[in-house]
Amino acid sequence: MKILLLSMPDVAPVIMHESAFHMPNLGIASIGANIDDGHEVYVVDLVRKRLGLRKHLVRMLNALNPDLVGLSAMTWQYATCVKIIRLIKQLLPEARIAIGGYHATLMFEEIAASDEAQAIDFMVRGEGEETFRRLVRALDGKDRLADIPSLSYKNEKGFIHNPKGDLMDLSRLKLPIRDKRRLTWGYHVMNRNMEMMETSRGCTRNCNFCSIRHMYGRSFRPFPIQRVLADIDDIYYTRKVRYVFVSDDNLVMDPARVIRLCDAIIARGYRNLTFVVQADCVTMSRNEKMVEKMAQAGFRSIFLGMENASKKNLVAANKGDILDASKKAVEICHKYGIVVVGGLIFGFPDDGEPEIIENYQFLKSTGADTAYCQILTPYPKTGIRRQLMDQGLVTNPYDYSRYNGMWANVRTRQLSSDQLQYLFWYHNQKIMGWWNPSERIRKQGRFWTSIWLYAFKPLLKVIIARQQKRLGWRGRFEQEIKARAAVNRFADLD
């Protein structure tokens, strides 16, 4: 069989411009690698084909003529996914279509009852490697659809949803596809080539705004250290890439394991290897020895989910009081030269303008090197969605294309969704101001930070000052919102 695996072109430029940060999709790369031998497998990350998307798809589909196409989509990418499915069916009516990823896992029953269900043949729910492998075997006459856990498939009456399967033994997984079977290239962060890898899956925290438990349950499973090292070797020696984004949901769930992993990486003697990862503040704040080892192993940038400056909001998010831990975690990271991206969420039910200001001021007080700020989003099947829906605070319950953290899909008891969207933007401008990269960031990116400081920033200040004089705050906001709304509008697919 010819099998094509696609990830979506939609991006969420919260920190950087949409063209500055393009990552490969690790999910489809791993699924493709674990299909049985004997099939032609191709992987395409459409984030690298955002311009002229339809033209590229038509050319590629006609050239490959795949028997089975698998598409992976987050909730906010699903509308684009449906458009691509319709294009595939128009060009290749005999091709089988399988969808997977978070949205298919969370919303398989709703998808089965939707208009687009007629164009979808299979849904792969949860971890995809074993389910998709067995799906391919079944289509090849070597397995039975009815026997494959976590698979949804059709009969004459509609979709059948097989029972959920067990979590995988990660030690059995082959390395992701990074060779010529991957038909897209040029993955980067600013001017640096980059790759993706994982050292574990899952998180045992109980944050009620997160949907990770629907993918892996409330569990944490590490890959064997030797397998992680083999993955790094593939990136470092074969791909010749030195910048690695580690996609773990929470790398530091087991600090002793992190130290063992770091010792193994250090012993390997890699040169100029940089890791970017996300971790929880509490574990980072309580394990300085672990942080020191991470710095020695090449972990240069860490996203810390600080979430909110309000103890009440932290309790509402099932985070507990982590304010002191957030500040301590930043302090320890900085002690060892690690860049911190501080993550905050705005728009909890009792938030007004003072709470938005407090949130930004808290973020600034932590000394985080840069920020990843989002508006509270009622993702499907999460605890926070149920609470917000019950309280009548969700203003956009079903247009999932805006469920990427950048849009106000909720209101608060003090603010309408429009007010929340505006104040979130306005106080970011007023309090956070123009970004000034820290010395830690400059060391990691002398070239692009110099361009920002001495070319783009001065030029943009002049341009923005003129806009401010002509349009005012509200006019500037409306202009930026209009531009943001166009980021993932692929007119050639309509």
Side-chain angles (χ1 to χ4, degrees):
M1 295 174 61
K2 284 187 179 179
I3 301 164
L4 174 63
L5 302 176
L6 299 173
S7 67
M8 295 302 102
D10 310 73
V11 294
V14 178
I15 297 181
M16 300 178 181
H17 188 272
E18 58 267 20
S19 64
F21 192 78
H22 287 175
M23 299 191 297
N25 184 295
L26 190 60
I28 62 171
S30 182
I31 288 171
N34 286 279
I35 295 170
D36 292 344
D37 294 338
H39 303 282
E40 291 183 49
V41 180
Y42 302 98
V43 171
V44 171
D45 289 294
L46 293 176
V47 70
R48 295 297 299 144
K49 300 295 179 181
R50 286 173 50 82
L51 299 178
L53 179 60
R54 182 188 180 94
K55 181 179 179 181
H56 173 76
L57 281 166
V58 169
R59 184 170 60 244
M60 177 186 62
L61 290 166
N62 284 332
L64 295 178
N65 192 21
D67 303 294
L68 173 63
V69 182
L71 304 96
S72 177
M74 304 286 281
T75 291
W76 53 278
Q77 299 171 322
Y78 183 67
T80 301
C81 182
V82 171
K83 292 178 182 178
I84 293 173
I85 289 171
R86 288 173 177 155
L87 176 61
I88 296 169
K89 283 296 188 182
Q90 176 186 336
L91 294 172
L92 305 172
E94 299 303 316
R96 301 287 194 97
I97 301 291
I99 62 170
Y102 272 93
H103 195 70
T105 298
L106 295 168
M107 302 289 285
F108 63 94
E109 292 178 320
E110 290 83 353
I111 293 171
S114 68
D115 292 338
E116 65 267 16
Q118 61 182 345
I120 298 169
D121 299 291
F122 310 102
M123 288 186 277
V124 175
R125 312 186 320 263
E127 279 182 305
E129 288 91 350
E130 180 64 7
T131 302
F132 196 84
R133 185 188 74 84
R134 290 188 61 182
L135 168 61
V136 172
R137 287 179 58 83
L139 295 178
D140 206 24
K142 299 175 182 177
D143 205 335
R144 295 179 66 251
L145 296 176
D147 295 337
I148 304 174
S150 299
L151 179 71
S152 297
Y153 67 99
K154 281 179 176 174
N155 65 11
E156 63 278 0
K157 296 181 180 179
F159 268 101
I160 303 296
H161 305 296
N162 290 346
K164 185 177 180 180
D166 296 331
L167 293 175
M168 293 194 61
D169 176 0
L170 299 184
S171 67
R172 295 171 49 205
L173 290 183
K174 300 176 183 177
L175 297 182
I177 289 175
R178 300 190 184 97
D179 56 25
K180 291 182 180 179
R181 292 172 293 173
R182 190 168 68 180
L183 302 182
T184 40
W185 55 281
Y187 308 104
H188 64 278
V189 175
M190 300 305 290
N191 63 319
R192 300 189 65 177
N193 294 333
M194 64 90 64
E195 286 288 353
M196 294 274 290
M197 64 171 291
E198 57 185 340
T199 81
S200 66
R201 289 182 181 176
C203 178
T204 60
R205 304 296 187 204
N206 197 34
C207 309
N208 68 359
F209 52 79
C210 181
S211 56
I212 188 65
R213 72 188 65 181
H214 293 280
M215 186 65 73
Y216 304 133
R218 196 172 172 186
S219 67
F220 174 77
R221 290 166 299 144
F223 283 82
I225 287 179
Q226 287 305 312
R227 199 274 192 184
V228 175
L229 294 175
D231 212 358
I232 298 173
D233 282 349
D234 183 49
I235 293 169
Y236 185 88
Y237 293 112
T238 307
R239 303 300 304 174
K240 310 295 184 186
V241 171
R242 303 291 184 263
Y243 196 90
V244 184
F245 191 98
V246 182
S247 67
D248 294 32
D249 304 296
N250 188 353
L251 175 81
V252 298
M253 291 298 301
D254 181 352
R257 173 217 170 230
V258 174
I259 291 173
R260 292 194 302 273
L261 174 60
C262 289
D263 282 337
I265 293 172
I266 293 166
R268 213 69 159 196
Y270 303 108
R271 293 174 58 85
N272 302 317
L273 186 59
T274 294
F275 296 103
V276 179
V277 72
Q278 60 184 353
D280 73 89
C281 293
V282 174
T283 305
M284 295 292 287
S285 69
R286 294 176 179 174
N287 293 276
E288 182 171 346
K289 180 65 176 177
M290 178 191 71
V291 178
E292 182 182 13
K293 283 285 187 181
M294 291 173 70
Q296 293 170 1
F299 289 85
R300 299 282 182 261
S301 181
I302 294 182
F303 170 81
L304 295 177
M306 302 173 182
E307 316 310 2
N308 203 265
S310 163
K311 293 181 180 180
K312 179 180 180 181
N313 287 344
L314 289 171
V315 171
N318 288 346
K319 293 291 292 189
D321 184 357
I322 62 170
L323 297 178
D324 291 339
S326 296
K327 292 183 177 181
K328 183 67 174 178
V330 175
E331 177 187 329
I332 293 174
C333 286
H334 283 174
K335 180 178 178 179
Y336 297 103
I338 297 175
V339 168
V340 173
V341 180
L344 265 75
I345 301 173
F346 294 70
F348 282 86
D350 290 323
D351 281 1
E353 186 170 7
E355 286 73 25
I356 292 175
I357 294 171
E358 179 188 10
N359 224 16
Y360 279 124
Q361 288 175 337
F362 169 74
L363 176 59
K364 201 162 188 177
S365 74
T366 66
D369 298 275
T370 190
Y372 188 97
C373 295
Q374 302 183 71
I375 300 175
L376 184 65
T377 302
Y379 292 109
K381 312 300 182 181
T382 58
I384 200 70
R385 179 182 178 88
R386 289 194 299 271
Q387 294 173 18
L388 294 172
M389 291 287 282
D390 290 345
Q391 296 170 45
L393 298 178
V394 178
T395 56
N396 170 29
Y398 302 118
D399 180 5
Y400 297 129
S401 67
R402 296 202 168 193
Y403 275 43
N404 60 8
M406 298 171 59
W407 298 96
N409 300 290
V410 300
R411 66 177 180 88
T412 76
R413 296 186 180 94
Q414 313 298 325
L415 303 169
S416 68
S417 58
D418 290 339
Q419 290 172 320
L420 173 59
Q421 188 84 60
Y422 175 70
L423 293 173
F424 172 74
W425 173 86
Y426 173 77
H427 287 295
N428 182 283
Q429 308 292 313
K430 295 289 286 185
I431 297 172
M432 304 306 292
W434 289 92
W435 182 58
N436 186 35
S438 65
E439 184 56 32
R440 287 173 293 276
I441 290 181
R442 294 186 204 186
K443 285 181 179 179
Q444 294 184 29
R446 292 287 185 190
F447 176 73
W448 67 266
T449 56
S450 295
I451 291 177
W452 164 251
L453 287 170
Y454 303 116
F456 285 174
K457 185 176 177 181
L459 178 61
L460 285 173
K461 279 191 170 184
V462 172
I463 294 172
I464 295 299
R466 290 176 180 172
Q467 290 178 345
Q468 184 71 33
K469 185 176 181 179
R470 178 169 53 90
L471 301 172
W473 287 107
R474 175 60 71 167
R476 275 187 58 207
F477 165 74
E478 290 174 354
Q479 190 175 67
E480 290 197 24
I481 286 295
K482 183 178 179 180
R484 182 182 299 176
V487 167
N488 294 320
R489 186 179 296 149
F490 305 103
D492 55 349
L493 286 181
D494 294 332

